[in-house]
Amino acid sequence: MPTTDKLPDNIVASIAGQVSAFLPTAGVSLESTAVAFPQEVGESLAVCTVSLAQVKKPPADLNMLAKPSGYWHHQLRTNGVATHTALSMKPGFGPIHEVEQVFATPLAGKIDAAIAWLDANVAGRGTVRLFVAPAYLTHALLLVRPDGPLEAVLADQPAQYTKLQPETLYPLAEFLKLLAKEAPAESLG
């Protein structure tokens, strides 16, 4: 069964503490709000980011795209359900990750669904990372096997995209080829 890159327990505990600092505290009673806040850190996924140019013209060695960016995506659970995500980075040579962002987002549930599908349908060893194509607003789980091909399963994409389907394990080359057929998101600049 594939697993994620492992973070030491003390790092996960530090991330949990930092996440709590992002949440409302002073004077807020959880009983008096309709908002539920995350109670636990779930899976932590090393983030691999792919550029527009790399989607359009992938490198000959696709393993270059499986290298972690230094950022980590953390699934945050509320009553056992993924409701939030956090993004952390290990700055410089320090031993501790710094949480930079915490979001309440449907992406957390979509990533959880992709993880569950992968767990139920993919055998063998491998490491799962979060594969992000910002120019396409697309997130996938990247499966890195010790001596096998890179593969990806879609977690989230814009509603108008139709080339990639969820609950399908694609060879990474095919995943990129299909993604490249979609129109990239409009630039904000």
Side-chain angles (χ1 to χ4, degrees):
M1 173 180 289
T3 60
T4 62
D5 292 292
K6 295 296 179 202
L7 287 175
D9 290 344
N10 66 320
I11 300 295
V12 175
S14 171
I15 288 166
Q18 292 176 62
V19 164
S20 67
F22 277 84
L23 303 175
T25 53
V28 175
S29 164
L30 293 181
E31 293 80 26
S32 68
T33 69
V35 178
F37 297 108
Q39 299 148 335
E40 68 175 302
V41 177
E43 295 83 3
S44 293
L45 302 163
V47 176
C48 302
T49 305
V50 61
S51 69
L52 173 64
Q54 290 169 321
V55 171
K56 295 283 187 186
K57 186 177 180 192
D61 181 5
L62 291 178
N63 288 309
M64 298 296 295
L65 303 179
K67 292 185 178 179
S69 64
Y71 283 96
W72 286 77
H73 168 96
H74 309 281
Q75 291 284 93
L76 305 178
R77 291 197 164 63
T78 306
N79 299 322
V81 176
T83 57
H84 293 67
T85 65
L87 187 66
S88 73
M89 179 176 219
K90 182 178 173 183
F93 298 107
I96 300 297
H97 288 233
E98 290 182 10
V99 173
E100 295 182 356
Q101 301 169 348
V102 175
F103 297 100
T105 174
L107 178 61
K110 293 175 181 181
I111 289 173
D112 245 19
I115 289 170
W117 184 87
L118 200 64
D119 284 345
N121 294 283
V122 177
R125 294 181 351 176
T127 302
V128 179
R129 295 184 177 140
L130 185 62
F131 191 71
V132 181
Y136 292 88
L137 305 174
T138 297
H139 296 80
L141 299 181
L142 180 65
L143 180 58
V144 181
R145 297 185 190 262
D147 293 318
L150 296 170
E151 297 171 299
V153 61
L154 180 67
D156 186 41
Q157 66 183 353
Q160 68 270 23
Y161 288 6
T162 60
K163 308 293 186 226
L164 292 167
Q165 298 302 310
E167 299 185 352
T168 303
L169 190 62
Y170 294 94
L172 185 57
E174 182 182 350
F175 184 92
L176 293 169
K177 183 177 179 180
L178 291 169
L179 184 58
K181 291 180 180 182
E182 303 288 6
E186 294 294 320
S187 170
L188 297 177

